[in-house]
Amino acid sequence: MRDSVFDTLLPLGIALGSALLALLAVHVVHKILVRVGRQSSLVTELAQRAHRPTQWVLVLCAVYFAVRANADGASWRHTFLHADQLVIIAAAAWLLAALLVVAEDAALSRVNTEVPDNRTARRVHTQVVMIRRVTVAVVAVLAVAVMLMTFPGARLLGTSVLASAGFLGIIAGLAAQSVLRNVFAGLQLAFSDAVRLGDVVIVEQEWGRVQEITLSYVVVHVWDDRRLILPTSYFTEKPFENWTRTSSALLGAVMFDVDWWLPVPEMREELRRALESTDLWDGRVSVLQVIEATGSAMQLRALVSAADAPKLWDLRCFVREHLVGWLRDTHPDALPRVRAEMTSAMPLHATLTGQTLTTDGDSRVFSHSVDGRARAEAFTGREP
């Protein structure tokens, strides 16, 4: 009895000692990396992200080999080693995913999106983020597959799955059609350059900025701080506006309805003075044109430019407010007005009997002649 207890406690003690040595080794290496990382952000991030998974992998491996070498006659040896293998595979997948994330973050650190023309940087950022999600998913799937292969019945399970692969494939394809469509749409968005993180877009009649792109959905941060959640397939199947696909600079129009008395050249000069007085204008476009002149008013369009969409919105509001004030103060007679001409009313019987002010006999159908008066009497019900 004493020997059996000793045979059980000895390998467990050796395993515990091996685990402590592994923890000590990982701790020492971690401290070294932290000290070296003061001069390298890459090493610092590596030390932070890989510390915990490395501890799990080394400790579990140390325990595995210690039990395997010192517990030959124990009845629990096989079950313990199998469970330890499963946890080692999960920890190794965690460590691999952490290393991939560190590599992707290192790639992102070389791309600066805080610059005026950041189209290329945002494209690389979007692609790296999508690759990160795909790699983490692939690592997780491979880890589960390897864990399944450690079971003796895994081959039998694989054979049965392959035998029914046709039927199951059809069922899975129908059930996951929308999910797979969104996944492939997310990959397409990442590498087709149609939309990127930080792009200003118009979707569902909403103006906002792309905040997040995943394999299944896209988050658009609307201008009033709402979040519009759309499936990734939306951006591959429906039209949308991308205001920053090639550059962030934009043109905007401000419309005015004014009276015909307005001197347009003066308003054009005032537009230029207003734009030069604000830092919202990027100096590219300042145009004032008469685009319509019908009815009782002219329609003017002021075309201005700005470096990006937020500045353009503020610039349009500024131009509208400034020119409205200028019109009111300097040309109040040019404000929109409605014209009407008042004429004296004429009795119906005077028209029908020819008692009008005109002397032109060819200007009336029902008067000024015998035939005309006869037509008038016919329409008024009188006998000729």
Side-chain angles (χ1 to χ4, degrees):
M1 181 68 180
R2 182 175 299 177
D3 293 338
S4 61
V5 173
F6 180 78
D7 293 339
T8 302
L9 294 178
L10 178 61
L12 292 178
I14 296 175
L16 180 61
S18 302
L20 292 176
L21 289 175
L23 282 175
L24 179 61
V26 173
H27 179 72
V28 172
V29 174
H30 176 70
K31 290 296 184 181
I32 295 174
L33 290 178
V34 170
R35 185 178 297 274
V36 175
R38 295 175 182 176
Q39 300 177 354
S40 174
S41 59
L42 176 62
V43 177
T44 300
E45 186 175 6
L46 179 64
Q48 292 176 350
R49 289 188 177 273
H51 178 55
R52 294 300 178 189
T54 302
Q55 281 183 332
W56 278 88
V57 170
L58 292 183
V59 168
L60 291 171
C61 288
V63 170
Y64 178 85
F65 288 110
V67 172
R68 183 179 179 180
N70 297 279
D72 293 334
S75 59
W76 49 267
R77 177 176 180 273
H78 179 73
T79 302
F80 181 85
L81 292 179
H82 188 208
D84 197 4
Q85 281 182 347
L86 296 178
V87 182
I88 288 175
I89 294 172
W94 182 14
L95 177 59
L96 179 59
L99 295 177
L100 291 175
V101 169
V102 171
E104 290 156 1
D105 287 342
L108 287 178
S109 65
R110 299 177 180 273
V111 180
N112 184 17
T113 57
E114 301 298 328
V115 294
D117 189 7
N118 58 0
R119 182 175 63 90
T120 302
R122 286 187 289 108
R123 180 183 62 192
V124 174
H125 186 79
T126 302
Q127 293 175 350
V128 171
V129 169
M130 295 300 294
I131 290 174
R132 170 185 296 179
R133 291 189 170 93
V134 172
T135 53
V136 171
V138 169
V139 169
V141 171
L142 291 177
V144 173
V146 174
M147 292 169 71
L148 289 176
M149 293 300 296
T150 61
F151 291 89
R155 294 184 179 181
L156 179 60
L157 177 63
T159 303
S160 61
V161 170
L162 290 176
S164 58
F167 178 74
L168 292 178
I170 295 175
I171 299 300
L174 293 175
Q177 183 178 5
S178 60
V179 176
L180 293 177
R181 183 171 70 249
N182 286 328
V183 170
F184 288 117
L187 294 175
Q188 182 178 349
L189 289 181
F191 296 96
S192 65
D193 206 25
V195 63
R196 301 169 297 263
L197 291 172
D199 273 347
V200 177
V201 295
I202 303 293
V203 290
E204 297 296 315
Q205 299 181 350
E206 297 284 357
W207 174 71
R209 187 180 297 275
V210 177
Q211 185 179 46
E212 184 180 359
I213 300 177
T214 69
L215 291 176
S216 58
Y217 62 88
V218 176
V219 179
V220 178
H221 183 190
V222 185
W223 65 274
D224 56 359
D225 282 342
R226 290 178 293 133
R227 271 36 175 208
L228 190 63
I229 312 298
L230 298 167
T232 51
S233 58
Y234 178 94
F235 293 89
T236 59
E237 297 175 357
K238 295 184 179 181
F240 65 95
E241 295 183 27
N242 189 338
W243 287 12
T244 55
R245 188 176 188 275
T246 56
S247 66
S248 59
L250 295 170
L251 300 181
V254 183
M255 311 301 294
F256 297 94
D257 289 331
V258 297
D259 193 76
W260 288 41
W261 288 107
L262 174 71
V264 178
E266 292 186 17
M267 188 172 179
R268 188 175 290 120
E269 293 176 1
E270 185 63 26
L271 172 63
R272 169 68 69 166
R273 284 194 293 269
L275 292 177
E276 291 176 349
S277 67
T278 177
D279 58 353
L280 298 173
W281 185 49
D282 62 359
R284 293 187 300 121
V285 178
S286 172
V287 175
L288 181 69
Q289 293 175 311
V290 180
I291 63 173
E292 193 63 79
T294 58
S296 60
M298 295 186 298
Q299 189 174 55
L300 307 183
R301 183 184 69 181
L303 195 64
V304 297
S305 61
D308 51 48
K311 289 184 178 179
L312 179 64
W313 172 262
D314 290 337
L315 179 61
R316 291 171 61 196
C317 295
F318 169 78
V319 168
R320 187 180 296 110
E321 179 180 351
H322 181 89
L323 291 183
V324 166
W326 178 80
L327 285 170
R328 184 186 61 245
D329 297 337
T330 60
H331 294 282
D333 56 340
L335 296 176
R337 63 182 67 184
V338 177
R339 291 182 172 87
E341 182 178 357
M342 302 299 296
T343 59
S344 58
M346 187 175 297
L348 178 62
H349 74 275
T351 302
L352 296 178
T353 57
Q355 300 175 4
T356 61
L357 299 177
T358 179
T359 58
D360 187 358
D362 294 334
S363 63
R364 296 290 185 268
V365 176
F366 298 100
S367 59
H368 294 295
S369 65
V370 176
D371 292 339
R373 285 192 292 273
R375 283 191 293 270
E377 291 173 354
F379 278 93
T380 56
R382 297 179 182 179
E383 294 292 336

